[in-house]
Amino acid sequence: MAVVGAMYHNRRAWELQGLGVTALCSLARFPDNRNLLGRIGAVGAVVSAMKLFPDDRVMQVQGSLAICYLSCDPMNVLLIHDAGGVPVVVASMHRHEADRDVQESCCWALCNLADTPESQELIMMAGGVLEVVRAMGQHPKDLGVQEQGCGVLMNSGCNNTAHQEYIQQIGGVRAVIAAMG
């Protein structure tokens, strides 16, 4: 609770936000912590820090990984939606397109989030699937980007013909085949 409180009271303190996001990411790795973190405001704190410091690649990597871990709890998925977490992750991919670590961590987050129809829609509307296909094309030798990118495309198209058609239209099928190489 102290970390989240400090982040909320010191929103413009870049170093504190970075350390806070990193701490929350580390804590969220453990399943027993995820629900509590959501209840005390960790999701909002992470998304806020990512919005405030979009050029900080470490903040974006750690924030996306925190969202990835936190999204394993169904309550947190709703909190991520409400906080605007999906568009923030997609914006991070767009801003840091050459950074494979940012791309991989964002793909991890979107892969986990794309597990629900509501998240699939938000990812599609935010341009997340297109960013994933671009990332896979830009980082063809990065196994993490390729694996998680395939996961995002798989989950985003699951049980949704319109999404499947869109994924095909933007080159998603070719990206998956190239990844399988």
Side-chain angles (χ1 to χ4, degrees):
M1 277 220 264
V3 171
V4 173
M7 290 176 73
Y8 277 111
H9 293 300
N10 300 285
R11 289 185 191 266
R12 298 281 178 195
W14 165 77
E15 189 171 6
L16 181 128
Q17 294 295 317
L19 292 171
V21 167
T22 300
L24 294 174
C25 180
S26 294
L27 291 167
R29 290 179 63 208
F30 300 98
D32 291 345
N33 293 340
R34 293 174 184 152
N35 188 272
L36 173 63
L37 287 168
R39 286 186 281 125
I40 64 171
V43 170
V46 168
V47 172
S48 177
M50 291 177 73
K51 286 179 185 176
L52 285 169
F53 301 100
D55 294 323
D56 185 321
R57 69 172 295 282
V58 174
M59 188 94 61
Q60 300 305 307
V61 168
Q62 293 297 309
S64 294
L65 288 174
I67 289 171
C68 171
Y69 299 135
L70 289 166
S71 69
C72 294
D73 182 287
M75 178 196 71
N76 289 339
V77 172
L78 299 175
L79 296 172
I80 292 165
H81 293 175
D82 291 345
V86 171
V88 166
V89 170
V90 174
S92 182
M93 291 185 79
H94 185 73
R95 182 178 292 266
H96 298 275
E97 63 185 30
D99 189 317
R100 68 177 193 212
D101 293 331
V102 172
Q103 297 301 309
E104 181 179 353
S105 63
C106 289
C107 283
W108 272 98
L110 294 177
C111 183
N112 271 12
L113 283 166
D115 199 37
T116 68
E118 298 82 12
S119 293
Q120 291 169 3
E121 286 300 322
L122 289 173
I123 291 166
M124 294 295 278
M125 290 184 343
V129 171
L130 182 59
E131 288 297 330
V132 167
V133 171
R134 286 181 184 160
M136 291 174 73
Q138 185 151 358
H139 303 281
K141 295 191 183 329
D142 188 285
L143 186 60
V145 171
Q146 298 303 310
E147 287 177 349
Q148 294 310 309
C150 285
V152 174
L153 297 177
M154 175 188 72
N155 288 348
S156 294
C158 188
N159 299 318
N160 190 314
T161 304
H163 290 182
Q164 293 167 8
E165 290 172 2
Y166 178 73
I167 290 167
Q168 182 176 350
Q169 289 172 1
I170 64 169
V173 174
R174 285 189 302 276
V176 170
I177 292 168
M180 294 170 66

